[in-house]
Amino acid sequence: YLKYISVSKILKILEKIFKDKFILDNMMASNSINVSKRFNRKVHIDSQLPINSFNLTTDVVVMISIDDFRVSNGATKVWPYSHKSGIRIHKQNKKKPSKNFQYLKSSKGSASILLGQTWHQVGENISQDSRWSFFIHYKRWWMKSSTDFTKCGNKIFKVLSNKQKELFGFT
């Protein structure tokens, strides 16, 4: 998945958001499977800090759709303007998210970009269709990455471009 961490169009958007250097935090894959009425995914933010200002954003998540994201197969729910709330919704007992969410629907191969402080939730998969996605998390350069990429070894290091080495924290 190395080619996805340094797509120039995406990096240009990240540069405009962060207005500073940034690093790769982690990468992962996610699927929304049909759980036969046992759906219990929490509304949450991915950011470590519940920022309430776009200019102070510390984390950005890029989702690459491997399958089409449809309501029936668990498209991500997103709460508009929640990035301005300053609330870590998954740690709140009193504050409940409104029903005013929107589904993030996308086509296979699309990239969606979310500020890390945006409230979101994996949608309920009511079909038998998979909804795979690849998540790439970026954060400001001064924040500790949740993945220690220095442990990846020389074999991986040698195939990285200079930009990828910077994203991995080899600077």
Side-chain angles (χ1 to χ4, degrees), residues 81-94:
Y81 305 105
S82 61
H83 68 286
K84 297 179 177 184
S85 72
I87 295 173
R88 186 179 287 149
I89 190 65
H90 55 284
K91 299 291 184 179
Q92 297 291 318
N93 292 327
K94 297 175 187 166

Side-chain angles (χ1 to χ4, degrees), residues 96-135:
K96 299 293 180 199
S98 71
K99 302 281 185 206
N100 297 330
F101 62 84
Q102 293 182 359
Y103 285 99
L104 178 63
K105 296 179 267 186
S106 62
S107 301
K108 178 180 180 177
S110 298
S112 301
I113 300 174
L114 288 175
L115 302 180
Q117 69 265 27
T118 304
W119 301 359
H120 62 283
Q121 177 186 37
V122 173
E124 184 175 5
N125 186 336
I126 57 174
S127 71
Q128 296 299 320
D129 299 331
S130 70
R131 197 272 306 132
W132 278 102
S133 58
F134 181 54
F135 284 79

Side-chain angles (χ1 to χ4, degrees), residues 2-169:
L2 285 178
K3 67 181 180 179
Y4 296 109
I5 69 168
S6 55
V7 173
S8 62
K9 285 182 179 181
I10 293 172
L11 294 180
K12 286 179 184 174
I13 294 169
L14 296 175
E15 288 167 2
K16 289 180 180 181
I17 293 170
F18 287 122
K19 296 183 179 82
D20 197 359
K21 291 195 181 292
F22 54 91
I23 59 170
L24 181 67
D25 181 36
N26 64 43
M27 301 173 282
M28 65 185 77
S30 172
N31 189 14
S32 179
I33 58 171
N34 185 314
V35 291
S36 302
K37 310 268 188 235
R38 293 188 316 262
F39 179 77
N40 65 352
R41 302 294 176 112
K42 279 187 156 187
V43 178
H44 65 281
I45 65 172
D46 288 340
S47 178
Q48 295 171 332
L49 303 171
I51 301 301
N52 63 4
S53 170
F54 179 89
N55 291 333
L56 299 175
T57 296
T58 58
D59 301 75
V60 175
V61 181
V62 177
M63 298 185 328
I64 309 288
S65 302
I66 297 171
D67 295 313
D68 290 338
F69 274 44
R70 298 182 310 274
V71 173
S72 63
N73 72 346
T76 302
K77 295 178 180 179
V78 177
W79 277 258
Y81 305 105
S82 61
H83 68 286
K84 297 179 177 184
S85 72
I87 295 173
R88 186 179 287 149
I89 190 65
H90 55 284
K91 299 291 184 179
Q92 297 291 318
N93 292 327
K94 297 175 187 166
K95 178 79 173 166
K96 299 293 180 199
S98 71
K99 302 281 185 206
N100 297 330
F101 62 84
Q102 293 182 359
Y103 285 99
L104 178 63
K105 296 179 267 186
S106 62
S107 301
K108 178 180 180 177
S110 298
S112 301
I113 300 174
L114 288 175
L115 302 180
Q117 69 265 27
T118 304
W119 301 359
H120 62 283
Q121 177 186 37
V122 173
E124 184 175 5
N125 186 336
I126 57 174
S127 71
Q128 296 299 320
D129 299 331
S130 70
R131 197 272 306 132
W132 278 102
S133 58
F134 181 54
F135 284 79
I136 312 166
H137 293 252
Y138 299 90
K139 59 178 41 174
R140 293 191 179 273
W141 67 269
W142 47 265
M143 297 184 77
K144 183 177 180 181
S145 173
S146 53
T147 305
D148 184 357
F149 292 108
T150 63
K151 306 285 188 206
C152 66
N154 279 339
K155 185 176 180 182
I156 300 282
F157 182 81
K158 288 178 183 178
V159 299
L160 298 175
S161 69
N162 287 338
K163 183 61 181 177
Q164 290 170 333
K165 288 175 185 172
E166 181 181 316
L167 291 170
F168 272 48

